[in-house]
Amino acid sequence: MNNVGKNIRRLRQKKGWTLVQIAEKVQVSVPAFSKIETGPTDINMSRLKQLAEIFGVSILDILYDEGQNPQEALHNEASLLKQKIQEKEETVSSLQRKLIDLYEEVTKR
């Protein structure tokens, strides 16, 4: 969660906002927002969405460090999983063919 807090701080500073200004926008106390930035307070999804809207970024921009491309990583992972599924389906098909061949062999006797 500490990276999320650092990313929130980075986005706040990029906008040139003080802790007081952002706390007012989020409608929390300055100490409460400070705890979000420093990590002791876990941030929920509705707060993430609110902050993304205030900063004008996506939730992914808050969750991941600047310069990272989580969508590309997810796409690569999805491609790898699709390939593994295809390999498993081919294995299942091969086993089904073997089962049919064995069944036919047994029923011929």
Side-chain angles (χ1 to χ4, degrees), residues 14-78:
K14 217 177 204 182
K15 293 282 188 181
W17 295 337
T18 65
L19 273 173
V20 172
Q21 290 171 314
I22 190 67
E24 286 174 2
K25 291 177 187 295
V26 179
Q27 298 178 339
V28 298
S29 69
V30 173
F33 196 84
S34 178
K35 287 180 182 178
I36 290 172
E37 283 190 354
T38 57
T41 299
D42 287 339
I43 187 166
N44 62 33
M45 196 58 159
S46 63
R47 182 70 71 201
L48 272 174
K49 185 178 176 186
Q50 179 189 27
L51 287 168
E53 288 173 4
I54 289 169
F55 290 128
V57 299
S58 75
I59 291 174
L60 292 176
D61 290 326
I62 295 174
L63 295 176
Y64 292 91
D65 291 336
E66 195 170 27
Q68 284 185 331
N69 189 342
Q71 291 174 334
E72 182 180 328
L74 292 173
H75 176 73
N76 291 341
E77 187 174 341

